[in-house]
Amino acid sequence: MYRTVTCGELRLADAGKIVTLAGWVQRIRKMGGMTFIDLRDRYGITQLAFNQGTEAFEKANGLGREFVLQVVGQVIERQAKNPQLPTGEIEIDVKQLTILNPAVTPPFTIEDETDGGDDLRMKYRYLDLRRQCVRKNLELRHKMAFEVRRYLDEQGFLEVETPVLVNSTPEGARDFVVPSRMNPGLFYALPQSPQTLKQLLMVSGFDRYFQIVKCFRDEDLRADRQPEFTQIDCEMSFVEQEDILNMFEGMSRHLFKTILNIDLPKLPRMTWADAMKYYGSDKPDTRFDMTFVELHDIFHAAEANKAEEERFSVFANAAYIGGICAKGCATYTRKQLDALTEFVKRPQIGAKGMVYARVEENGNVKSSVDKFYSQDVLQQIAAEMKAESGDLILILSGDDAMKTRKQLSELRLEMGKQLGLRDPKKFSCLWVIDFPMYEWSDEENRLMAMHHPFTSPKPEDIPLLDTDPASVRANAYDMVINGVEVGGGSIRIHDAQLQEKIFEILGFTKEEAQTKFGFLMNAFKYGAPPHGGLAYGLDRFVSLFAGLDSIRDCIAFPKNNQGRDVMLGAPGVLDPIQLDELMLDIRKK
Ligand code: ASP
C-alpha cells in the first residue's frame, strides 16, 4: 500500500498511530539537529520531522522541493502548533523514507502567493495546478457540475450526448472547422452550442434534456471568454417561459444552497427595455443602485429659453442626456474627476466628455457647466436625481441613446468599483426578460437575431413581424448575477412556417434556409412539441461562486488571449503528409 492516510486527515486524536503517507515536498526547514518537511497532496499538508542520527534524517537532507516521497512514521503531538493548518497539531516522526521520484527545481514556487507570472504558470500548468488556490477552483467546479446533475436528474432530465463534429450553423460567432479526410474539400464545424440538436431531441420526445457540454466559438478573447467553454445546456417540452424560469431558478437556488449555503430570494425580473433604461446594460450589476436618470427634458427646456450664443451646444444637440448620482462623493477632487473623464474618453468606452455637479453642504449645486445653466436649472437636476448635500452627479450625453447608455453603464460600474459596491462575496441575481428579437448590424447591414434564429417572438408581437420587425420582442431571457450573464435561452419556434418567415426576415433566401436548416424545418413537420430551454456558462458560474475575475482560473487547461495553449503548443503546424491527406495545400499561398 502506498499510503494509509492522506496529508490532510491526521489530527491530535491520531497521536501514537503508525502511518504511511505519500506526497510532494512543499518546503524543507533545517534546524540544527532536526529537519522538517511539509508534505503535500491534494488533501492538505502534513509536517514530517526527522531526527539527527537516523538514516531518514540523512536522506531528508538530500531532498529538494517537489520530490515525491513515501514515509512511514508515528503521529506525534507538535510542540509548536500551527493553528492555520487542519493538521497543525501533529507531525510525523519519520522512521522510514522512500524517494518515489526526484524532481528538478520547479520554475516557480508552488505556493498560493507564487512568484510565477501568468505565462510561466500556463506553460507549466500541471505545476500551477498543484497550488491549493488553483486546485480548489477545480474542486468547486466538480461540486457544482455534480449538484447540477443531481438537481436535473431529480427533475427527470436525461443527459444526452450530442456530436462534436457537426455542421456550421450561424449563431453569431465564427466556427472552428475540421477538414474531413474521407470527404475531401468538405468540413465539419465544432458546435457553438448543441442548439438544433437539443431541439431535435424534443421532436424525438425526450421531453427534458440536459448536457454538460463543450462548445466552441472562434471569437476574440476576453477575461470571460475562451474559444472552448462549457455549457449546462437544457431543453424542455410542453413548457412556457414561466415553467423554464421556475425550473432553473430552482436549479440556481439549489446550487447557492448546497455550495455556498446561501438562501437565494425569489429572483426579480426586469425587462430588457428597463435594464437598458436604468442600467445601460442587458446584464445589470444590481448589487448597487446608482440607476440612470434621464435629464434631456430638463436640459432641453433650459436651452429652449436661451439665445443661440448662450447655449451649451453639447447638451442642446444631444439625443440623450443621462446621469448617475454617487452618494457622498461631492468630496471627489478635481484630479479624481479628471481621471473619471479620462476613463469615459478611453477608446473602448468612447464618450466625448463628462459633466459633473456637486451638491454642496448648503444645498447649492456647483457644476462643470455653471456658466451655461442657472442655479435654478441645476437644482431641478439635483431634485430629479434625488441628489442630496454631499452627493456627486455625473452626466454623459450623446447623439445615440443606446451608445451613450452603454458609456454611462461603464461609468456606473467604475463608480461602483471605486466605492466598494461590487463585493464578490455578495450576490444579486435577476432575470432579464423580453429581449428584442432582432438587433441591427451595421457590419452586415441587416437585422440579426439577438439570441438565435430559433427563438420565438412573443405571440402578441407576431403581427409586427410584417410591419416593424425591429420592434418585435422575443420570449427570451437571461439569468444575470452580479453583472454577468450566467445563462440565457428562449422559447423556440416549433412551427415550420413561422420558422421559415424568421429566416426570411434574417435575410436568408428559401434555398439558403433549406440548405442550412432544412433538417430542422423538416423535423418540425413531423410533430414538434412546443419547447424551450436555456444554457448556462459553467465556467462563468463557477468563477462567480469562486469570486474570480477570470474564467481561466476555473478551467484546468485554459487558452491564453491569443487562443493558444502554450503548454501543448496548440495550435501547431501539421506535417505535410497530413496536409496532403486532408487535401489542404496551405503552401500555395
Ligand atoms: N444555445 C443557446 C446559447 O448557446 C442557449 C439556448 O438558447 O438554450 O446561447
Side-chain angles (χ1 to χ4, degrees):
M1 237 206 293
Y2 268 114
R3 58 182 175 191
T4 55
V5 289
T6 70
C7 295
E9 66 182 84
L10 292 170
R11 301 287 182 271
L12 196 51
D14 298 303
K17 286 186 186 158
I18 302 290
V19 293
T20 309
L21 288 154
W24 288 262
V25 173
Q26 168 95 12
R27 200 180 301 152
I28 307 177
R29 290 184 308 281
K30 296 179 183 164
M31 301 170 83
M34 293 285 285
T35 291
F36 295 99
I37 290 182
D38 285 346
L39 193 70
R40 179 194 67 237
D41 67 10
R42 185 186 125 192
Y43 309 92
I45 286 178
T46 297
Q47 176 162 295
L48 310 178
F50 298 85
N51 282 302
Q52 194 165 24
T54 62
E55 195 189 322
F57 176 83
E58 295 307 320
K59 259 198 196 165
N61 285 341
L63 300 174
R65 280 196 287 136
E66 301 307 316
F67 272 51
V68 188
L69 309 181
Q70 182 191 44
V71 293
V72 182
Q74 186 165 36
V75 183
I76 55 172
E77 184 171 357
R78 260 208 228 184
Q79 296 205 314
K81 300 203 169 52
N82 179 354
Q84 313 292 350
L85 222 55
T87 61
E89 290 189 307
I90 56 99
E91 63 189 6
I92 309 296
D93 178 18
V94 179
K95 310 278 186 232
Q96 198 183 314
L97 165 68
T98 312
I99 299 174
L100 297 177
N101 220 338
V104 295
T105 309
F108 51 85
T109 52
I110 315 282
E111 307 264 356
D112 284 0
E113 295 298 326
T114 177
D115 55 359
D118 264 2
D119 291 348
L120 201 59
R121 288 192 294 110
M122 284 305 141
K123 180 146 187 236
Y124 297 92
R125 183 64 167 171
Y126 46 90
L127 296 180
D128 198 29
L129 289 172
R130 286 186 189 167
R131 294 164 60 223
Q132 196 213 318
C133 59
V134 185
R135 192 183 54 238
K136 78 176 197 311
N137 295 331
L138 292 181
E139 286 172 1
L140 171 68
R141 185 184 179 105
H142 161 79
K143 271 201 232 145
M144 288 182 74
F146 186 81
E147 289 302 337
V148 164
R149 287 201 165 93
R150 191 208 301 273
Y151 176 85
L152 292 176
D153 178 66
E154 274 168 12
Q155 302 294 330
F157 283 77
L158 294 178
E159 184 161 22
V160 181
E161 288 176 77
T162 51
V164 172
L165 295 176
V166 293
N167 213 348
S168 182
T169 54
E171 258 195 80
R174 239 175 253 123
D175 290 309
F176 282 102
V177 296
V178 179
S180 164
R181 180 185 56 80
M182 287 195 283
N183 302 277
L186 299 185
F187 294 82
Y188 300 100
L190 305 182
Q192 294 187 28
S193 84
Q195 183 60 39
T196 49
L197 293 157
K198 68 174 168 177
Q199 291 190 241
L200 292 175
L201 287 173
M202 294 304 109
V203 177
S204 306
F206 276 80
D207 198 68
R208 291 182 171 196
Y209 143 95
F210 87 101
Q211 184 180 190
I212 298 187
V213 61
K214 271 289 173 73
C215 300
F216 306 85
R217 295 183 191 173
D218 189 2
E219 294 175 301
D220 292 336
L221 305 180
R222 295 190 309 230
D224 62 349
R225 269 202 201 146
Q226 283 275 304
E228 55 176 297
F229 59 98
T230 306
Q231 285 192 341
I232 306 165
D233 190 43
C234 311
E235 197 75 8
M236 301 170 77
S237 290
F238 304 113
V239 284
E240 293 174 342
Q241 174 163 310
E242 196 58 31
D243 303 306
I244 305 233
L245 299 190
N246 289 333
M247 174 64 72
F248 291 97
E249 199 166 315
M251 188 182 92
S252 301
R253 185 163 295 115
H254 175 77
L255 286 176
F256 270 96
K257 186 67 194 172
T258 51
I259 309 279
L260 298 175
N261 197 23
I262 289 176
D263 290 303
L264 201 62
K266 173 122 191 74
L267 262 59
R269 297 178 188 181
M270 193 185 295
T271 63
W272 176 87
D274 278 353
M276 296 312 291
K277 185 172 159 83
Y278 295 112
Y279 297 90
S281 166
D282 56 7
K283 39 179 189 295
D285 185 344
T286 48
R287 276 172 297 183
F288 64 107
D289 288 334
M290 220 188 276
T291 46
F292 297 3
V293 179
E294 294 183 353
L295 301 169
H296 23 270
D297 286 351
I298 299 177
F299 280 117
H300 285 167
E303 293 295 340
N305 298 331
K306 288 197 279 188
E308 183 77 37
E309 60 281 4
E310 286 169 6
R311 287 193 177 153
F312 179 44
S313 61
V314 176
F315 279 3
N317 302 325
Y320 176 90
I321 308 173
I324 52 173
C325 174
K327 286 274 154 214
C329 289
T331 49
Y332 260 47
T333 61
R334 184 60 199 263
K335 204 166 150 209
Q336 282 173 297
L337 291 163
D338 285 349
L340 283 178
T341 307
E342 285 315 308
F343 172 82
V344 294
K345 282 166 82 177
R346 293 186 318 176
Q348 307 93 297
I349 300 184
K352 295 221 174 62
M354 182 187 83
V355 165
Y356 60 84
R358 298 186 177 95
V359 188
E360 297 182 323
E361 279 303 305
N362 59 10
N364 264 356
V365 179
K366 275 213 74 57
S367 86
S368 55
V369 287
D370 275 352
K371 66 173 184 242
F372 297 107
Y373 299 106
S374 64
Q375 186 59 217
D376 181 43
V377 171
L378 295 174
Q379 288 295 338
Q380 282 179 52
I381 295 294
E384 187 72 16
M385 305 227 33
K386 302 199 169 54
E388 298 166 328
S389 294
D391 292 350
L392 174 70
I393 297 169
L394 302 172
I395 301 172
L396 296 186
S397 66
D399 304 333
D400 182 323
M402 270 311 171
K403 278 194 184 138
T404 315
R405 286 188 176 118
K406 285 183 182 157
Q407 294 161 354
L408 192 55
S409 165
E410 296 294 337
L411 181 61
R412 173 181 177 272
L413 292 176
E414 173 62 21
M415 288 308 294
K417 187 166 117 195
Q418 291 192 9
L419 298 175
L421 302 172
R422 300 175 69 191
D423 178 357
K425 295 219 161 56
K426 204 176 137 187
F427 294 95
S428 178
C429 319
L430 74 154
W431 288 109
V432 175
I433 56 171
D434 296 356
F435 277 78
M437 275 288 276
Y438 304 105
E439 62 187 334
W440 180 258
S441 159
D442 285 337
E443 232 169 84
E444 302 240 348
N445 200 30
R446 66 172 175 98
L447 288 176
M448 308 266 288
M450 191 137 177
H451 187 52
H452 53 54
F454 318 107
T455 295
S456 165
K458 283 198 163 295
E460 63 269 32
D461 287 5
I462 288 181
L464 292 169
L465 284 172
D466 294 316
T467 51
D468 184 11
S471 72
V472 174
R473 290 165 308 156
N475 262 334
Y477 32 78
D478 277 357
M479 183 180 278
V480 175
I481 307 182
N482 294 2
V484 176
E485 178 206 326
V486 285
S490 58
I491 296 296
R492 326 298 184 188
I493 298 165
H494 62 279
D495 173 274
Q497 267 166 7
L498 181 59
Q499 186 65 73
E500 245 170 67
K501 186 177 184 115
I502 299 295
F503 287 139
E504 199 184 299
I505 295 173
L506 290 171
F508 291 97
T509 62
K510 270 210 158 52
E511 294 69 44
E512 281 170 345
Q514 199 53 43
T515 326
K516 290 218 182 287
F517 302 110
F519 66 97
L520 187 72
M521 289 190 290
N522 253 339
F524 284 174
K525 292 181 191 148
Y526 291 94
H531 61 288
L534 86 184
Y536 284 89
L538 178 65
D539 313 281
R540 283 186 192 169
F541 220 154
V542 177
S543 64
L544 261 172
F545 270 36
L548 299 169
D549 293 329
S550 162
I551 61 170
R552 242 177 256 172
D553 297 324
C554 63
I555 296 174
F557 298 105
K559 305 217 167 17
N560 71 9
N561 274 343
Q562 282 77 49
R564 295 185 57 84
D565 182 322
V566 287
M567 181 186 69
L568 299 175
V573 289
L574 282 191
D575 193 288
I577 298 173
Q578 270 176 304
L579 286 174
D580 277 347
E581 258 178 7
L582 295 168
M583 310 265 270
L584 289 178
D585 198 351
I586 56 170
R587 287 155 298 180
K588 270 193 198 129
K589 274 190 103 184

